[in-house]
Amino acid sequence: MEARRAADRALEQARSALLSGELQHAADHLAGALAHAPTLPETHELLSRLAAQADGGLELFPLAQHSSVGRLVARAHLLAAAGRPEDGLPLLAAASGHSPAADWAGVPWVGEPALGVRIEPGVLVHVVMRLCTSVGDPAPAPVIAALQPYLTVVRHAIAAHPEHAMLLGAGSALARRLGESALAVDWASRGARARPTKLAEIWLGYAFRSAGRLPEALAALRRAVAHDPDDLSVYADIAGTLADHGRLDDALAWVDRALARDPGYDCVVHTGARLRFKSDGDITHLVELADFIRDHPDESHEHTDLADCCRDIPWLGGAPAAAPLPKGTVTPATAGDPTPDAVRRLRRVATLSWGHPPAAYDAAVHLMLLKPLDLLSLLAQPPADVAAAEIWACLGLLHHGVEEPWLDSTRRRLLLDLLAGGLDRVTEAALFALIVSAWIDPSARDDVATVVRARLSEVASRPGARSVAELALATPGLDAETRATALAMTRVPAIPRQRGRTRTRLLLRWRRG
């Protein structure tokens, strides 16, 4: 409803400008109306009136490096009205790539069979592949509905060019994302027959996989490997496909084959770490992957394997369900109330979830402009409306004195000071921050593992020890015996919290510098 009201306001302003002869102002408001409601008939009627008064209107919507989506869409419609729909479609597709769930292409001219005949197949392939990179596989339901008109264009184009292998393959990729698995298989099969290449076999393999036809999918992907044995991304695809169907040993064999060719190939490293973690649950694989990501910032494309593995695991992907721990009280020497700026910065980053421990560290970088004493004040008086305030304040401490070697660092000393004492939210948060430091800094791992091991032993029989056990399981380099103890502690019911007063922790060693 809000979008419709915004479109109506923009239309009213456009009508007024058009009546006054202010064509550019009318165009600007029309672009705004299209951005809010791309298929509203009133908008298209007014666009036609503007075009009639401005010699087609194209000069009012010039292409620029940072053209708004509304301007792109308006120009696309005017190009179609001028008899050039094949030039307008790429502009609509650019808008769809920006906001895939919006119905940019739900207009009559896109569904005309003539468009599929007029548009050059290579141009349409480029349009379709850009769309595919902007949506998931499969796409969510709103996106499927919004992108159906493009599939219609592909149908008409394939009818006009039935042997165009690239068009068939790209069309298959789009059909697969839109839930048309049978159509995807048909088009990809025809493309592979018309021109058997590595890419054609990959498209066919993906189409078979989406249709649940595993043997055919694997056969096609193996043929892709035969076309190009050095393309290790296909090895990773085969491994992922096998793992998804419960054939983990076979999947890891393909990972090993690829790593034998190139131990540093990013797709295979990510896939291998994910599958090995799936196989044995050892976070060492994830820590090694985090190290690889840190040491190889220029990867071929974005990977989500680390976050996928950490998701829903306590502390690896986010704060666990609220543990029965006291709030805890911190009273740093000479600390006052948190400043408004400190609270504002904390609100900006605080959340109950993060992709993985290094991602939590990266997110906390926004707190580096706060002094340590400000962060300690946030611990002393955590804002009630901020999620996991203690966790993020402690993560903020990790960003201070990063040039100092870990063992002699201020950040280590402050976190250990916070860790002293019983079990509460602050000690829990401090321990997590120490563990995050071990994820991002290999030189801290032995020290942090020693701290965690001692902490687990110290609190093993206390209420709330389960939370420490979960933290231990997220600790890099923890010895097998301690990990087994922690695992056993997480498998028994949590001990109910005893009522009692929260304690005060006085950080006598901290002074304002």
Side-chain angles (χ1 to χ4, degrees):
M1 291 298 294
E2 181 58 35
R4 176 58 190 267
R5 285 193 290 268
D8 287 340
R9 288 194 297 269
L11 279 174
E12 186 59 33
Q13 292 170 313
R15 291 189 187 98
S16 177
L18 192 59
L19 287 173
S20 302
E22 301 176 65
L23 300 187
Q24 188 59 64
H25 285 165
D28 294 342
H29 292 305
L30 269 174
L34 279 168
H36 289 296
T39 60
L40 195 64
E42 293 94 322
T43 305
H44 290 268
E45 178 185 353
L46 194 58
L47 186 62
S48 297
R49 288 172 53 192
L50 178 65
Q53 293 190 29
D55 193 24
L58 286 173
E59 73 280 0
L60 298 175
F61 301 96
L63 286 180
Q65 185 175 2
H66 299 292
S67 294
S68 68
V69 67
R71 288 184 176 277
L72 289 177
V73 173
R75 185 175 180 85
H77 294 316
L78 292 177
L79 285 167
R84 297 163 54 191
E86 67 278 11
D87 294 331
L89 188 71
L91 301 182
L92 283 189
S96 293
H98 180 268
S99 303
D103 191 17
W104 305 110
V107 289
W109 65 265
V110 175
E112 289 293 327
L115 175 57
V117 176
R118 292 177 61 104
I119 192 165
E120 200 275 319
V123 171
L124 184 55
V125 167
H126 181 69
V127 166
V128 169
M129 294 313 299
R130 285 188 61 187
L131 284 174
C132 288
T133 60
S134 67
V135 301
D137 184 8
V143 173
I144 289 176
L147 299 189
Q148 283 294 334
Y150 296 105
L151 193 61
T152 297
V153 177
V154 176
R155 288 179 189 272
H156 293 151
I158 288 176
H161 309 279
E163 299 297 318
H164 196 287
M166 289 293 290
L167 181 59
L168 287 162
S172 172
L174 180 61
R176 186 177 77 242
R177 286 166 169 78
L178 302 189
E180 300 277 358
S181 57
L183 182 61
V185 169
D186 177 43
W187 283 350
S189 298
R190 290 167 55 184
R193 288 195 300 269
R195 188 180 179 190
T197 62
K198 177 186 71 174
L199 185 56
E201 295 293 357
I202 290 174
W203 275 326
L204 181 57
Y206 289 169
F208 278 132
R209 187 171 64 184
S210 70
R213 297 166 61 176
L214 180 62
E216 294 99 323
L218 292 172
L221 293 175
R222 289 189 181 103
R223 289 193 296 271
V225 170
H227 278 287
D228 184 2
D230 292 324
D231 186 349
L232 301 186
S233 65
V234 184
Y235 292 62
D237 289 337
I238 293 174
T241 301
L242 287 165
D244 290 343
H245 290 80
R247 295 172 56 179
L248 199 52
D249 289 342
D250 291 340
L252 288 171
W254 276 93
V255 168
D256 291 339
R257 285 178 61 182
L259 292 176
R261 285 179 171 269
D262 183 355
Y265 190 78
D266 58 337
C267 291
V268 178
V269 171
H270 282 259
T271 300
R274 173 171 56 84
L275 297 186
R276 295 188 200 285
F277 178 71
K278 183 178 181 179
S279 175
D280 59 22
D282 188 346
I283 69 163
T284 300
H285 306 304
L286 304 186
V287 175
E288 290 174 350
L289 179 56
D291 290 344
F292 179 86
I293 294 170
R294 184 186 63 250
D295 296 338
H296 298 80
D298 299 323
E299 297 183 339
S300 62
H301 61 275
E302 182 180 358
H303 298 274
T304 63
D305 299 85
L306 183 56
D308 291 343
C309 290
C310 291
R311 187 179 297 118
D312 301 326
I313 298 179
W315 297 110
L316 292 184
L325 296 174
K327 177 181 178 182
T329 303
V330 176
T331 307
T334 70
D337 294 336
T339 65
D341 180 58
V343 174
R344 182 169 57 252
R345 290 181 183 277
L346 187 67
R347 286 197 180 104
R348 190 179 302 166
V349 303
T351 177
L352 290 173
S353 62
W354 43 84
H356 42 74
Y361 175 81
D362 290 342
V365 71
H366 297 287
L367 301 175
M368 70 181 298
L369 296 180
L370 298 179
K371 296 178 181 179
L373 192 61
D374 292 328
L375 293 165
L376 295 173
S377 296
L378 289 169
L379 285 170
Q381 300 182 56
D385 63 336
V386 177
E390 295 89 351
I391 292 174
W392 290 97
C394 287
L395 288 173
L397 291 173
L398 284 180
H399 287 277
H400 287 276
V402 293
E403 73 285 352
E404 300 172 350
W406 171 251
L407 289 178
D408 298 321
S409 65
T410 300
R411 61 192 186 281
R412 175 181 182 270
R413 175 171 58 82
L414 287 174
L415 291 170
L416 289 178
D417 285 344
L418 292 171
L419 190 60
L423 284 168
D424 59 34
R425 297 182 196 172
V426 172
T427 59
E428 182 184 66
L431 189 59
F432 175 63
L434 286 165
I435 291 167
V436 170
S437 72
W439 275 80
I440 63 171
D441 181 4
S443 71
R445 285 177 189 164
D446 289 344
D447 175 61
V448 171
T450 299
V451 171
V452 171
R453 181 167 55 250
R455 184 65 171 168
L456 187 65
S457 176
E458 175 189 355
V459 305
S461 61
R462 299 184 194 178
R466 180 191 184 95
S467 178
V468 178
E470 290 177 335
L471 282 160
L473 293 176
T475 304
L478 199 65
D479 62 278
E481 182 179 352
T482 304
R483 185 169 297 280
T485 299
L487 187 60
M489 291 171 63
T490 63
R491 290 175 174 170
V492 298
I495 303 174
R497 170 167 65 96
Q498 310 243 333
R499 293 186 177 273
R501 297 178 61 187
T502 60
R503 66 190 169 77
T504 297
R505 188 180 303 102
L506 184 61
L507 298 181
L508 295 175
R509 288 188 288 169
W510 174 253
R511 294 291 185 272
R512 186 185 298 272

